[in-house]
Amino acid sequence: MQKKTQKLTVYVIVGLLIISLVGTSFMFLGDMRPTVGKNYQDQINSLKQALEANPQDTQIRLSLADTYYDWGMQTLSQDMSEENLGATTSILQQAVAEYQEVLKTEKNVNILVDMATAAFYTSQNELADQTFQEALQEDPNFYNGLYNYGVFLYSQGNYGKAIEQWEKALTVENISKDNQDRLERNIKLAQEGIVQQFQQSGNGDSPDSNSEAK
């Protein structure tokens, strides 16, 4: 029960940011591949059959991972209740497992960010952190990576580092006005978090270096 409560708290924190983690295959803001008249379970069953016939086909496995990811994120966006956590976590854990298999033979920043995002939502925080960092080593200016890593860091109370990611995301070329406004709102929330940490510390020292904006 404690783990479920912790996961629910993370989801609520992200919800309070009035943002959504963005992914190459899914965005809460509506950028999701069409289901072509099928439900997610039907798609997964078809992809599993195709993978059994062609177990070395990386693209089929990637499609399977993306479908698990889309399904889990859509389920989460529709229902953040504690009762829904078990099913959502199981779906996203399958996405992580399939992405890990894909990354053995094909590595790119899109796959890394989606796997890190799914890992975050299944409370695999160490894996999420490592994979976000690996993605940003591949492409330091990848907007989705900077944005999502900032959300992850914010959820861990590491507000200063979250601000660093979001401020860098603001410098990415050709970001939309909506994304710019969202980033600026997130930065303000993180700055407020730093102030709250300072006030809660009960002394005159500056906030912990892990939470201090650079």
Side-chain angles (χ1 to χ4, degrees):
M1 181 63 68
Q2 184 177 4
K3 286 186 177 180
K4 286 186 177 181
T5 302
Q6 290 172 344
K7 291 176 185 176
L8 183 61
T9 300
V10 169
Y11 300 156
V12 170
I13 287 172
V14 176
L16 289 174
L17 286 172
I18 321 174
I19 58 174
S20 302
L21 293 174
V22 294
T24 58
S25 57
F26 179 91
M27 293 180 67
F28 281 172
L29 302 180
D31 182 18
M32 187 171 68
R33 294 190 307 273
T35 59
V36 197
K38 296 182 179 180
N39 64 36
Y40 285 111
Q41 189 62 66
D42 287 343
Q43 293 182 63
I44 286 169
N45 290 341
S46 296
L47 288 166
K48 282 184 173 180
Q49 290 178 356
L51 194 58
E52 287 178 3
N54 301 278
Q56 304 304 318
D57 193 316
T58 301
Q59 291 307 307
I60 294 175
R61 190 175 295 279
L62 178 57
S63 294
L64 179 60
D66 285 342
T67 303
Y68 275 122
Y69 181 91
D70 289 351
W71 187 13
M73 297 297 274
Q74 184 180 70
T75 302
L76 181 62
S77 71
Q78 293 174 341
D79 184 359
M80 288 189 178
S81 68
E82 187 169 346
E83 292 75 14
N84 188 48
L85 294 184
T88 302
T89 298
S90 178
I91 293 167
L92 289 173
Q93 284 173 338
Q94 290 293 325
V96 171
E98 296 300 339
Y99 281 133
Q100 286 176 317
E101 288 299 314
V102 171
L103 287 167
K104 291 178 181 178
T105 56
E106 178 179 339
K107 181 176 293 188
N108 68 55
V109 67
N110 296 318
I111 299 171
L112 287 166
V113 169
D114 283 355
M115 191 186 87
T117 303
F120 164 54
Y121 270 124
T122 56
S123 297
Q124 300 179 69
N125 291 335
E126 184 175 351
L127 176 62
D129 194 9
Q130 292 174 349
T131 309
F132 276 128
Q133 291 189 47
E134 186 176 356
L136 291 171
Q137 287 174 356
E138 291 281 324
D139 185 352
N141 296 311
F142 186 56
Y143 177 83
N144 287 11
L146 293 166
Y147 187 94
N148 288 11
Y149 192 31
V151 174
F152 169 79
L153 292 166
Y154 181 99
S155 77
Q156 305 301 301
N158 200 337
Y159 303 126
K161 293 295 184 182
I163 290 171
E164 287 182 7
Q165 302 305 313
W166 290 332
E167 286 183 337
K168 188 168 184 179
L170 280 171
T171 69
V172 174
E173 292 184 4
N174 300 320
I175 65 170
S176 69
K177 182 63 166 57
D178 285 345
N179 284 340
Q180 181 179 340
D181 290 344
R182 190 174 298 114
L183 285 164
E184 290 173 350
R185 183 168 61 242
N186 295 353
I187 289 169
K188 182 178 179 180
L189 287 170
Q191 289 170 338
E192 292 172 355
I194 291 174
V195 172
Q196 290 174 0
Q197 285 182 334
F198 174 70
Q199 292 173 339
Q200 291 170 1
S201 68
N203 57 54
D205 297 334
S206 61
D208 184 83
S209 59
N210 286 335
S211 300
E212 185 177 3
K214 304 295 184 182

